[in-house]
Amino acid sequence: MSDRVSVAKTYKLYLDGKFPRSESGRTYPVTDSAGGFLANASHASRKDVRDAVSAARKAFGGWSGATAYNRGQVLYRVAEVLEGRREQFAAEVAACEGVSTAESSAIVDAAVDRWVWYAGWTDKIASVLGAANPVAGPYFSFTVPEPTGVVGVLAPQSSSLLGLVSVLAPVVATGCTAVVVSSAERPLPAITLSEVLATADVPGGVVNVLTGRADELGPWLASHADVNAIDPTGASREARVDLAQRASNTVKRVLTVPADEPDWTRRPDISRLRRYLEAKTVWHPKGT
């Protein structure tokens, strides 16, 4: 029997394509569903939120300016890399969520399929939500969807992987960039997903992942003037009221989400894609 002592892990944040420690120096223990120690995670601070928003804003121009087809290729690559680490994700989901190995494997497979589903929509959503408008005059009128900007995502607290992918993938599929606050008690799948994103052709800053408490970090995201929308899924019911009030100061879009977490295994639709797009209408005179 080996008497080797395993390496005690302290996971870092994911900001601008890098893995820094929290500016605050804070960490907190992560345990499995039975209370056993798994690792330490960085506890993000307000300064980390500001750094994440700055990185997301810097990356927005390049990501939103990429072709929809290219974004789809990148999302498909995320699915490929995630599937390549299927066993690790399954083990982390099983430990965090207290489900069987078979159930956790099915969750990982569903997460891979969810990335593929949204990858397929990147170059089709403009055809579905855009339009050529009939006008009474010598003009062409077109309406095209454009990404809204930087999105703050408070990830689901219970569904550590499939729920996270379900709220994150539509953000990046539309050309937006994201600042994600992971599940506080179950952050390991989000941390591992960060490693997947870092090696799957996703440009630095497009997705930034913070570990910590949604009710602590959420208000700073909601009040940040450079954040354009916020998904409060992972916030408590009481905190959502405060988030909406803070977001109103900068006329920020706040997604309407169910009071309780939905069944993330249900087949998705384009409603989340629609929420991160703005309609831009262009008028152009006809030639003679």
PDB file of all heavy atoms in Angstrom, residues 37-69:
ATOM      1  N   PHE A  37     -12.959  16.692   2.017  1.00  0.00           N
ATOM      2  CA  PHE A  37     -12.178  17.753   1.368  1.00  0.00           C
ATOM      3  C   PHE A  37     -11.747  17.335  -0.040  1.00  0.00           C
ATOM      4  O   PHE A  37     -11.264  16.219  -0.241  1.00  0.00           O
ATOM      5  CB  PHE A  37     -10.941  18.076   2.210  1.00  0.00           C
ATOM      6  CG  PHE A  37     -10.031  19.108   1.583  1.00  0.00           C
ATOM      7  CD1 PHE A  37     -10.329  20.457   1.662  1.00  0.00           C
ATOM      8  CD2 PHE A  37      -8.876  18.717   0.912  1.00  0.00           C
ATOM      9  CE1 PHE A  37      -9.489  21.412   1.092  1.00  0.00           C
ATOM     10  CE2 PHE A  37      -8.045  19.651   0.330  1.00  0.00           C
ATOM     11  CZ  PHE A  37      -8.354  20.996   0.418  1.00  0.00           C
ATOM     12  N   LEU A  38     -11.934  18.258  -1.008  1.00  0.00           N
ATOM     13  CA  LEU A  38     -11.502  18.014  -2.381  1.00  0.00           C
ATOM     14  C   LEU A  38     -10.340  18.900  -2.786  1.00  0.00           C
ATOM     15  O   LEU A  38      -9.355  18.438  -3.353  1.00  0.00           O
ATOM     16  CB  LEU A  38     -12.673  18.246  -3.348  1.00  0.00           C
ATOM     17  CG  LEU A  38     -13.851  17.277  -3.279  1.00  0.00           C
ATOM     18  CD1 LEU A  38     -14.963  17.735  -4.200  1.00  0.00           C
ATOM     19  CD2 LEU A  38     -13.395  15.872  -3.646  1.00  0.00           C
ATOM     20  N   ALA A  39     -10.457  20.200  -2.503  1.00  0.00           N
ATOM     21  CA  ALA A  39      -9.425  21.150  -2.930  1.00  0.00           C
ATOM     22  C   ALA A  39      -9.731  22.498  -2.309  1.00  0.00           C
ATOM     23  O   ALA A  39     -10.768  22.681  -1.650  1.00  0.00           O
ATOM     24  CB  ALA A  39      -9.401  21.267  -4.458  1.00  0.00           C
ATOM     25  N   ASN A  40      -8.827  23.439  -2.521  1.00  0.00           N
ATOM     26  CA  ASN A  40      -9.086  24.828  -2.178  1.00  0.00           C
ATOM     27  C   ASN A  40      -9.351  25.610  -3.460  1.00  0.00           C
ATOM     28  O   ASN A  40      -8.753  25.320  -4.506  1.00  0.00           O
ATOM     29  CB  ASN A  40      -7.890  25.446  -1.447  1.00  0.00           C
ATOM     30  CG  ASN A  40      -7.701  24.871  -0.059  1.00  0.00           C
ATOM     31  OD1 ASN A  40      -8.611  24.903   0.763  1.00  0.00           O
ATOM     32  ND2 ASN A  40      -6.517  24.333   0.211  1.00  0.00           N
ATOM     33  N   ALA A  41     -10.237  26.586  -3.387  1.00  0.00           N
ATOM     34  CA  ALA A  41     -10.542  27.432  -4.534  1.00  0.00           C
ATOM     35  C   ALA A  41     -10.314  28.883  -4.162  1.00  0.00           C
ATOM     36  O   ALA A  41     -10.519  29.280  -3.005  1.00  0.00           O
ATOM     37  CB  ALA A  41     -11.982  27.231  -4.992  1.00  0.00           C
ATOM     38  N   SER A  42      -9.886  29.680  -5.124  1.00  0.00           N
ATOM     39  CA  SER A  42      -9.711  31.110  -4.884  1.00  0.00           C
ATOM     40  C   SER A  42     -11.066  31.766  -4.634  1.00  0.00           C
ATOM     41  O   SER A  42     -12.056  31.416  -5.275  1.00  0.00           O
ATOM     42  CB  SER A  42      -9.039  31.770  -6.093  1.00  0.00           C
ATOM     43  OG  SER A  42      -7.716  31.315  -6.244  1.00  0.00           O
ATOM     44  N   HIS A  43     -11.070  32.697  -3.708  1.00  0.00           N
ATOM     45  CA  HIS A  43     -12.296  33.438  -3.384  1.00  0.00           C
ATOM     46  C   HIS A  43     -12.158  34.828  -3.995  1.00  0.00           C
ATOM     47  O   HIS A  43     -11.458  35.678  -3.476  1.00  0.00           O
ATOM     48  CB  HIS A  43     -12.480  33.526  -1.865  1.00  0.00           C
ATOM     49  CG  HIS A  43     -13.831  33.977  -1.448  1.00  0.00           C
ATOM     50  ND1 HIS A  43     -14.435  33.568  -0.284  1.00  0.00           N
ATOM     51  CD2 HIS A  43     -14.726  34.794  -2.049  1.00  0.00           C
ATOM     52  CE1 HIS A  43     -15.622  34.117  -0.183  1.00  0.00           C
ATOM     53  NE2 HIS A  43     -15.818  34.879  -1.235  1.00  0.00           N
ATOM     54  N   ALA A  44     -12.830  35.043  -5.125  1.00  0.00           N
ATOM     55  CA  ALA A  44     -12.654  36.275  -5.892  1.00  0.00           C
ATOM     56  C   ALA A  44     -13.139  37.497  -5.119  1.00  0.00           C
ATOM     57  O   ALA A  44     -14.032  37.415  -4.269  1.00  0.00           O
ATOM     58  CB  ALA A  44     -13.389  36.164  -7.223  1.00  0.00           C
ATOM     59  N   SER A  45     -12.554  38.638  -5.454  1.00  0.00           N
ATOM     60  CA  SER A  45     -12.863  39.902  -4.791  1.00  0.00           C
ATOM     61  C   SER A  45     -13.447  40.897  -5.788  1.00  0.00           C
ATOM     62  O   SER A  45     -13.570  40.621  -6.983  1.00  0.00           O
ATOM     63  CB  SER A  45     -11.589  40.492  -4.186  1.00  0.00           C
ATOM     64  OG  SER A  45     -10.697  40.887  -5.237  1.00  0.00           O
ATOM     65  N   ARG A  46     -13.769  42.083  -5.303  1.00  0.00           N
ATOM     66  CA  ARG A  46     -14.284  43.142  -6.169  1.00  0.00           C
ATOM     67  C   ARG A  46     -13.258  43.538  -7.222  1.00  0.00           C
ATOM     68  O   ARG A  46     -13.604  43.805  -8.377  1.00  0.00           O
ATOM     69  CB  ARG A  46     -14.662  44.365  -5.321  1.00  0.00           C
ATOM     70  CG  ARG A  46     -15.304  45.496  -6.116  1.00  0.00           C
ATOM     71  CD  ARG A  46     -15.758  46.611  -5.202  1.00  0.00           C
ATOM     72  NE  ARG A  46     -16.519  47.615  -5.930  1.00  0.00           N
ATOM     73  CZ  ARG A  46     -17.110  48.647  -5.354  1.00  0.00           C
ATOM     74  NH1 ARG A  46     -17.036  48.806  -4.031  1.00  0.00           N
ATOM     75  NH2 ARG A  46     -17.778  49.528  -6.078  1.00  0.00           N
ATOM     76  N   LYS A  47     -11.999  43.573  -6.844  1.00  0.00           N
ATOM     77  CA  LYS A  47     -10.936  43.895  -7.802  1.00  0.00           C
ATOM     78  C   LYS A  47     -10.868  42.833  -8.901  1.00  0.00           C
ATOM     79  O   LYS A  47     -10.652  43.160 -10.075  1.00  0.00           O
ATOM     80  CB  LYS A  47      -9.596  43.985  -7.074  1.00  0.00           C
ATOM     81  CG  LYS A  47      -8.377  44.218  -7.970  1.00  0.00           C
ATOM     82  CD  LYS A  47      -8.425  45.551  -8.692  1.00  0.00           C
ATOM     83  CE  LYS A  47      -7.072  45.953  -9.268  1.00  0.00           C
ATOM     84  NZ  LYS A  47      -6.493  44.949 -10.178  1.00  0.00           N
ATOM     85  N   ASP A  48     -11.049  41.582  -8.546  1.00  0.00           N
ATOM     86  CA  ASP A  48     -11.052  40.521  -9.548  1.00  0.00           C
ATOM     87  C   ASP A  48     -12.227  40.694 -10.517  1.00  0.00           C
ATOM     88  O   ASP A  48     -12.087  40.438 -11.715  1.00  0.00           O
ATOM     89  CB  ASP A  48     -11.141  39.144  -8.875  1.00  0.00           C
ATOM     90  CG  ASP A  48      -9.930  38.846  -8.004  1.00  0.00           C
ATOM     91  OD1 ASP A  48      -8.804  39.173  -8.422  1.00  0.00           O
ATOM     92  OD2 ASP A  48     -10.123  38.296  -6.905  1.00  0.00           O
ATOM     93  N   VAL A  49     -13.375  41.129 -10.009  1.00  0.00           N
ATOM     94  CA  VAL A  49     -14.523  41.402 -10.875  1.00  0.00           C
ATOM     95  C   VAL A  49     -14.169  42.496 -11.875  1.00  0.00           C
ATOM     96  O   VAL A  49     -14.437  42.378 -13.072  1.00  0.00           O
ATOM     97  CB  VAL A  49     -15.764  41.795 -10.044  1.00  0.00           C
ATOM     98  CG1 VAL A  49     -16.884  42.301 -10.958  1.00  0.00           C
ATOM     99  CG2 VAL A  49     -16.254  40.616  -9.219  1.00  0.00           C
ATOM    100  N   ARG A  50     -13.556  43.562 -11.399  1.00  0.00           N
ATOM    101  CA  ARG A  50     -13.180  44.666 -12.295  1.00  0.00           C
ATOM    102  C   ARG A  50     -12.182  44.198 -13.348  1.00  0.00           C
ATOM    103  O   ARG A  50     -12.286  44.561 -14.526  1.00  0.00           O
ATOM    104  CB  ARG A  50     -12.592  45.834 -11.497  1.00  0.00           C
ATOM    105  CG  ARG A  50     -13.579  46.532 -10.583  1.00  0.00           C
ATOM    106  CD  ARG A  50     -13.126  47.932 -10.210  1.00  0.00           C
ATOM    107  NE  ARG A  50     -11.832  47.937  -9.547  1.00  0.00           N
ATOM    108  CZ  ARG A  50     -11.676  47.914  -8.228  1.00  0.00           C
ATOM    109  NH1 ARG A  50     -12.743  47.860  -7.430  1.00  0.00           N
ATOM    110  NH2 ARG A  50     -10.489  47.939  -7.683  1.00  0.00           N
ATOM    111  N   ASP A  51     -11.213  43.383 -12.940  1.00  0.00           N
ATOM    112  CA  ASP A  51     -10.232  42.878 -13.898  1.00  0.00           C
ATOM    113  C   ASP A  51     -10.898  41.973 -14.937  1.00  0.00           C
ATOM    114  O   ASP A  51     -10.555  42.014 -16.124  1.00  0.00           O
ATOM    115  CB  ASP A  51      -9.144  42.086 -13.156  1.00  0.00           C
ATOM    116  CG  ASP A  51      -8.232  42.983 -12.327  1.00  0.00           C
ATOM    117  OD1 ASP A  51      -8.246  44.215 -12.538  1.00  0.00           O
ATOM    118  OD2 ASP A  51      -7.528  42.438 -11.448  1.00  0.00           O
ATOM    119  N   ALA A  52     -11.864  41.172 -14.501  1.00  0.00           N
ATOM    120  CA  ALA A  52     -12.555  40.266 -15.420  1.00  0.00           C
ATOM    121  C   ALA A  52     -13.388  41.050 -16.429  1.00  0.00           C
ATOM    122  O   ALA A  52     -13.406  40.732 -17.628  1.00  0.00           O
ATOM    123  CB  ALA A  52     -13.441  39.303 -14.635  1.00  0.00           C
ATOM    124  N   VAL A  53     -14.071  42.094 -15.964  1.00  0.00           N
ATOM    125  CA  VAL A  53     -14.880  42.921 -16.867  1.00  0.00           C
ATOM    126  C   VAL A  53     -13.983  43.637 -17.868  1.00  0.00           C
ATOM    127  O   VAL A  53     -14.298  43.726 -19.062  1.00  0.00           O
ATOM    128  CB  VAL A  53     -15.726  43.928 -16.069  1.00  0.00           C
ATOM    129  CG1 VAL A  53     -16.431  44.906 -17.017  1.00  0.00           C
ATOM    130  CG2 VAL A  53     -16.748  43.204 -15.210  1.00  0.00           C
ATOM    131  N   SER A  54     -12.849  44.132 -17.407  1.00  0.00           N
ATOM    132  CA  SER A  54     -11.909  44.806 -18.303  1.00  0.00           C
ATOM    133  C   SER A  54     -11.410  43.852 -19.383  1.00  0.00           C
ATOM    134  O   SER A  54     -11.320  44.219 -20.563  1.00  0.00           O
ATOM    135  CB  SER A  54     -10.721  45.348 -17.485  1.00  0.00           C
ATOM    136  OG  SER A  54      -9.756  45.945 -18.328  1.00  0.00           O
ATOM    137  N   ALA A  55     -11.099  42.615 -18.996  1.00  0.00           N
ATOM    138  CA  ALA A  55     -10.632  41.622 -19.973  1.00  0.00           C
ATOM    139  C   ALA A  55     -11.739  41.274 -20.962  1.00  0.00           C
ATOM    140  O   ALA A  55     -11.491  41.130 -22.167  1.00  0.00           O
ATOM    141  CB  ALA A  55     -10.161  40.363 -19.243  1.00  0.00           C
ATOM    142  N   ALA A  56     -12.967  41.137 -20.464  1.00  0.00           N
ATOM    143  CA  ALA A  56     -14.093  40.805 -21.341  1.00  0.00           C
ATOM    144  C   ALA A  56     -14.368  41.933 -22.334  1.00  0.00           C
ATOM    145  O   ALA A  56     -14.649  41.686 -23.512  1.00  0.00           O
ATOM    146  CB  ALA A  56     -15.340  40.515 -20.505  1.00  0.00           C
ATOM    147  N   ARG A  57     -14.281  43.174 -21.867  1.00  0.00           N
ATOM    148  CA  ARG A  57     -14.504  44.309 -22.769  1.00  0.00           C
ATOM    149  C   ARG A  57     -13.413  44.384 -23.832  1.00  0.00           C
ATOM    150  O   ARG A  57     -13.691  44.658 -25.012  1.00  0.00           O
ATOM    151  CB  ARG A  57     -14.554  45.603 -21.954  1.00  0.00           C
ATOM    152  CG  ARG A  57     -14.698  46.871 -22.796  1.00  0.00           C
ATOM    153  CD  ARG A  57     -15.920  46.831 -23.683  1.00  0.00           C
ATOM    154  NE  ARG A  57     -17.152  46.739 -22.896  1.00  0.00           N
ATOM    155  CZ  ARG A  57     -18.352  46.541 -23.419  1.00  0.00           C
ATOM    156  NH1 ARG A  57     -18.490  46.363 -24.724  1.00  0.00           N
ATOM    157  NH2 ARG A  57     -19.413  46.480 -22.634  1.00  0.00           N
ATOM    158  N   LYS A  58     -12.190  44.126 -23.432  1.00  0.00           N
ATOM    159  CA  LYS A  58     -11.074  44.171 -24.386  1.00  0.00           C
ATOM    160  C   LYS A  58     -11.236  43.097 -25.457  1.00  0.00           C
ATOM    161  O   LYS A  58     -10.886  43.310 -26.626  1.00  0.00           O
ATOM    162  CB  LYS A  58      -9.750  43.980 -23.630  1.00  0.00           C
ATOM    163  CG  LYS A  58      -8.515  44.067 -24.515  1.00  0.00           C
ATOM    164  CD  LYS A  58      -7.239  43.955 -23.698  1.00  0.00           C
ATOM    165  CE  LYS A  58      -7.083  42.584 -23.089  1.00  0.00           C
ATOM    166  NZ  LYS A  58      -5.762  42.394 -22.405  1.00  0.00           N
ATOM    167  N   ALA A  59     -11.771  41.943 -25.079  1.00  0.00           N
ATOM    168  CA  ALA A  59     -11.911  40.834 -26.027  1.00  0.00           C
ATOM    169  C   ALA A  59     -13.153  40.947 -26.894  1.00  0.00           C
ATOM    170  O   ALA A  59     -13.266  40.247 -27.905  1.00  0.00           O
ATOM    171  CB  ALA A  59     -11.952  39.504 -25.260  1.00  0.00           C
ATOM    172  N   PHE A  60     -14.085  41.826 -26.516  1.00  0.00           N
ATOM    173  CA  PHE A  60     -15.382  41.864 -27.202  1.00  0.00           C
ATOM    174  C   PHE A  60     -15.251  42.234 -28.678  1.00  0.00           C
ATOM    175  O   PHE A  60     -15.897  41.613 -29.536  1.00  0.00           O
ATOM    176  CB  PHE A  60     -16.324  42.847 -26.504  1.00  0.00           C
ATOM    177  CG  PHE A  60     -17.641  43.012 -27.218  1.00  0.00           C
ATOM    178  CD1 PHE A  60     -18.553  41.979 -27.278  1.00  0.00           C
ATOM    179  CD2 PHE A  60     -17.953  44.213 -27.846  1.00  0.00           C
ATOM    180  CE1 PHE A  60     -19.763  42.122 -27.946  1.00  0.00           C
ATOM    181  CE2 PHE A  60     -19.156  44.370 -28.518  1.00  0.00           C
ATOM    182  CZ  PHE A  60     -20.066  43.326 -28.568  1.00  0.00           C
ATOM    183  N   GLY A  61     -14.427  43.204 -28.990  1.00  0.00           N
ATOM    184  CA  GLY A  61     -14.306  43.639 -30.377  1.00  0.00           C
ATOM    185  C   GLY A  61     -13.872  42.520 -31.312  1.00  0.00           C
ATOM    186  O   GLY A  61     -14.468  42.309 -32.375  1.00  0.00           O
ATOM    187  N   GLY A  62     -12.854  41.787 -30.911  1.00  0.00           N
ATOM    188  CA  GLY A  62     -12.354  40.711 -31.753  1.00  0.00           C
ATOM    189  C   GLY A  62     -13.320  39.547 -31.856  1.00  0.00           C
ATOM    190  O   GLY A  62     -13.518  38.982 -32.937  1.00  0.00           O
ATOM    191  N   TRP A  63     -13.951  39.190 -30.731  1.00  0.00           N
ATOM    192  CA  TRP A  63     -14.861  38.039 -30.734  1.00  0.00           C
ATOM    193  C   TRP A  63     -16.147  38.355 -31.494  1.00  0.00           C
ATOM    194  O   TRP A  63     -16.615  37.557 -32.299  1.00  0.00           O
ATOM    195  CB  TRP A  63     -15.171  37.630 -29.301  1.00  0.00           C
ATOM    196  CG  TRP A  63     -16.019  36.404 -29.169  1.00  0.00           C
ATOM    197  CD1 TRP A  63     -17.261  36.315 -28.625  1.00  0.00           C
ATOM    198  CD2 TRP A  63     -15.671  35.069 -29.574  1.00  0.00           C
ATOM    199  NE1 TRP A  63     -17.725  35.025 -28.660  1.00  0.00           N
ATOM    200  CE2 TRP A  63     -16.768  34.237 -29.240  1.00  0.00           C
ATOM    201  CE3 TRP A  63     -14.550  34.499 -30.181  1.00  0.00           C
ATOM    202  CZ2 TRP A  63     -16.759  32.862 -29.500  1.00  0.00           C
ATOM    203  CZ3 TRP A  63     -14.547  33.138 -30.445  1.00  0.00           C
ATOM    204  CH2 TRP A  63     -15.644  32.335 -30.104  1.00  0.00           C
ATOM    205  N   SER A  64     -16.723  39.527 -31.262  1.00  0.00           N
ATOM    206  CA  SER A  64     -17.955  39.891 -31.967  1.00  0.00           C
ATOM    207  C   SER A  64     -17.684  40.148 -33.441  1.00  0.00           C
ATOM    208  O   SER A  64     -18.578  39.981 -34.282  1.00  0.00           O
ATOM    209  CB  SER A  64     -18.587  41.132 -31.333  1.00  0.00           C
ATOM    210  OG  SER A  64     -17.710  42.255 -31.420  1.00  0.00           O
ATOM    211  N   GLY A  65     -16.446  40.547 -33.769  1.00  0.00           N
ATOM    212  CA  GLY A  65     -16.093  40.810 -35.160  1.00  0.00           C
ATOM    213  C   GLY A  65     -15.699  39.577 -35.932  1.00  0.00           C
ATOM    214  O   GLY A  65     -15.588  39.616 -37.167  1.00  0.00           O
ATOM    215  N   ALA A  66     -15.493  38.463 -35.242  1.00  0.00           N
ATOM    216  CA  ALA A  66     -15.173  37.208 -35.939  1.00  0.00           C
ATOM    217  C   ALA A  66     -16.405  36.736 -36.707  1.00  0.00           C
ATOM    218  O   ALA A  66     -17.540  37.074 -36.371  1.00  0.00           O
ATOM    219  CB  ALA A  66     -14.744  36.143 -34.940  1.00  0.00           C
ATOM    220  N   THR A  67     -16.188  35.964 -37.745  1.00  0.00           N
ATOM    221  CA  THR A  67     -17.332  35.449 -38.497  1.00  0.00           C
ATOM    222  C   THR A  67     -18.110  34.464 -37.628  1.00  0.00           C
ATOM    223  O   THR A  67     -17.540  33.795 -36.762  1.00  0.00           O
ATOM    224  CB  THR A  67     -16.889  34.745 -39.784  1.00  0.00           C
ATOM    225  OG1 THR A  67     -16.136  33.572 -39.446  1.00  0.00           O
ATOM    226  CG2 THR A  67     -16.051  35.674 -40.651  1.00  0.00           C
ATOM    227  N   ALA A  68     -19.409  34.391 -37.859  1.00  0.00           N
ATOM    228  CA  ALA A  68     -20.237  33.457 -37.097  1.00  0.00           C
ATOM    229  C   ALA A  68     -19.760  32.028 -37.307  1.00  0.00           C
ATOM    230  O   ALA A  68     -19.786  31.207 -36.378  1.00  0.00           O
ATOM    231  CB  ALA A  68     -21.696  33.608 -37.512  1.00  0.00           C
ATOM    232  N   TYR A  69     -19.327  31.721 -38.514  1.00  0.00           N
ATOM    233  CA  TYR A  69     -18.825  30.379 -38.807  1.00  0.00           C
ATOM    234  C   TYR A  69     -17.597  30.068 -37.955  1.00  0.00           C
ATOM    235  O   TYR A  69     -17.463  28.964 -37.411  1.00  0.00           O
ATOM    236  CB  TYR A  69     -18.489  30.257 -40.285  1.00  0.00           C
ATOM    237  CG  TYR A  69     -17.895  28.922 -40.685  1.00  0.00           C
ATOM    238  CD1 TYR A  69     -18.689  27.777 -40.750  1.00  0.00           C
ATOM    239  CD2 TYR A  69     -16.538  28.804 -40.994  1.00  0.00           C
ATOM    240  CE1 TYR A  69     -18.151  26.549 -41.112  1.00  0.00           C
ATOM    241  CE2 TYR A  69     -15.994  27.587 -41.352  1.00  0.00           C
ATOM    242  CZ  TYR A  69     -16.798  26.462 -41.410  1.00  0.00           C
ATOM    243  OH  TYR A  69     -16.258  25.245 -41.754  1.00  0.00           O
TER     244      TYR A  69
END
